[in-house]
Amino acid sequence: MPEPAGLDQVYSAVEETARILGVPCSPGQVSPALTAFGDELPGAHIVFSMAAGERHRGELDFDFSVTPKGVDPYATALANGLIKETDHPVGSLLAEVQARCAIASYGVEYGIIGGFKKSYAFFPLDDFPPLVKFAGIPSVPPCLAGHVGTLTGLGLDDKVSAIGVNYPKRTLNVYLAVGAVEAEAKLSLLRAFGFPEPDAQVAEFIRRSFSMYPTFNWDSSAVERICFSVKTQDPWELPAPFDPEIEKFARDVPHVYAGGREFVSAVALTSSGEAYYKLAAYYQKAHESSNAAFAANRDDGAS
């Protein structure tokens, strides 16, 4: 097994990947993350992710796992000045989840341009919290409770594998492990949430998805968007219009593990019918048991 990457090597990989996408990158942009979380990175899963299309161009996300032995990512970000404290429920959510649910590992989404964006909490593979219990946590967006009946009716009550808390956008992603869920149930969820029918190519992608996550916020009763993800070694199966940036990223993104590059491709759908496409590439894969939940449930973490 290859040796874990040191911090200099990690920075070089970030810089190389940013260059592939034409994203400006300097040590000053990345060093805050390396300083705050550097002790975790040599043994972490590290993922680079990008979103296609003009609206998403110009950013590269640098995602990595954090073991529960260390300080949780939001507290670490606060302590290192990566984010400002807030009295909004988004700031207390992770602590409330920690107090009520077993956590297998954490994760961070850090944008080369946007800085610290998101904390992930990954639940043990054999101890997913019941959806009803999770929806009852005080700082969870109230609108989730209104959708519990729909989700449980499709057999998703025991599928909550992870959450992603987006601090700048003040949203919550609830990740559902749907690899074993009936394919048509995934499409039924779109209809239940009032989303338009996807085209045939996107519908087939959804049927094969291993993870899906609706996005909720604290200001609306509606689901903001739903994302579906597929793990693959073939990034060309992403049902996106041809985009030269996707092609270049897929071809040239660095990695430090044996074998071919491994990807997670994803489609995000909105209630207006808009779709956008994302591609994530593993740079480093850790094999410690504490990172198993991150590896099993990891998608691209797009907001």
Side-chain angles (χ1 to χ4, degrees):
M1 187 178 77
E3 288 294 318
L7 293 187
D8 288 346
Q9 187 177 351
V10 170
Y11 173 74
S12 294
V14 171
E15 187 178 51
E16 178 182 350
T17 308
R19 191 181 308 117
I20 290 168
L21 295 175
V23 176
C25 182
S26 69
Q29 293 166 266
V30 183
S31 60
L34 301 184
T35 299
F37 297 100
D39 290 345
E40 297 282 345
L41 292 175
H45 280 281
I46 298 175
V47 178
F48 297 132
S49 59
M50 53 87 68
E54 190 62 39
R55 186 158 66 91
H56 305 281
R57 184 167 286 117
E59 177 66 296
L60 167 68
D61 287 329
F62 164 45
D63 298 1
F64 49 87
S65 62
V66 181
T67 66
K69 296 177 183 177
V71 179
D72 73 71
Y74 181 62
T76 301
L78 285 173
N80 285 272
L82 303 185
I83 194 169
K84 293 182 179 179
E85 196 163 7
T86 178
D87 58 4
H88 187 277
V90 73
S92 56
L93 178 55
L94 190 60
E96 292 186 2
V97 172
Q98 292 166 342
R100 293 164 175 82
C101 305
I103 307 294
S105 61
Y106 298 107
V108 169
E109 179 179 301
Y110 189 90
I112 304 311
I113 302 300
F116 182 83
K117 296 179 179 180
K118 189 183 292 186
S119 291
Y120 297 101
F122 298 91
F123 303 118
L125 301 181
D126 59 353
D127 192 14
F128 290 169
L131 183 61
V132 172
K133 174 184 176 181
F134 181 79
I137 294 173
S139 288
V140 165
C143 64
L144 176 57
H147 296 290
V148 164
T150 298
L151 293 165
T152 56
L154 293 171
L156 300 173
D157 181 61
D158 60 349
K159 305 298 183 185
V160 181
S161 61
I163 60 167
V165 186
N166 190 312
Y167 300 99
K169 294 189 175 181
R170 295 184 172 180
T171 58
L172 169 68
N173 299 330
V174 178
Y175 292 80
L176 301 161
V178 295
V181 171
E182 184 180 348
E184 293 309 312
K186 304 170 192 178
L187 292 168
S188 295
L189 185 63
L190 287 175
R191 302 182 193 110
F193 285 157
F195 282 48
E197 289 287 331
D199 65 34
Q201 190 178 15
V202 171
E204 180 55 30
F205 184 91
I206 290 171
R207 291 186 180 97
R208 295 189 296 109
S209 60
F210 79 97
S211 176
M212 70 179 185
Y213 58 94
T215 299
F216 303 93
N217 64 55
W218 283 263
D219 301 318
S220 171
S221 61
V223 175
E224 191 169 302
R225 93 188 125 262
I226 308 176
C227 187
F228 297 86
S229 300
V230 171
K231 288 183 177 179
T232 183
Q233 288 188 313
D234 178 13
W236 315 120
E237 68 183 3
L238 182 67
F242 174 77
D243 187 308
E245 287 188 330
I246 291 180
E247 181 181 32
K248 192 172 183 182
F249 178 82
R251 185 183 65 238
D252 298 336
V253 63
H255 71 293
V256 289
Y257 48 86
R261 295 181 179 91
E262 296 186 17
F263 300 89
V264 176
S265 52
V267 174
L269 304 174
T270 68
S271 58
S272 68
E274 179 191 8
Y276 63 95
Y277 306 90
K278 299 164 284 182
L279 189 63
Y282 282 90
Y283 168 68
Q284 175 173 280
K285 297 190 297 180
H287 294 280
E288 291 83 352
S289 59
S290 60
N291 283 313
F294 182 97
N297 294 300
R298 173 71 183 99
D299 63 27
D300 66 331
S303 60

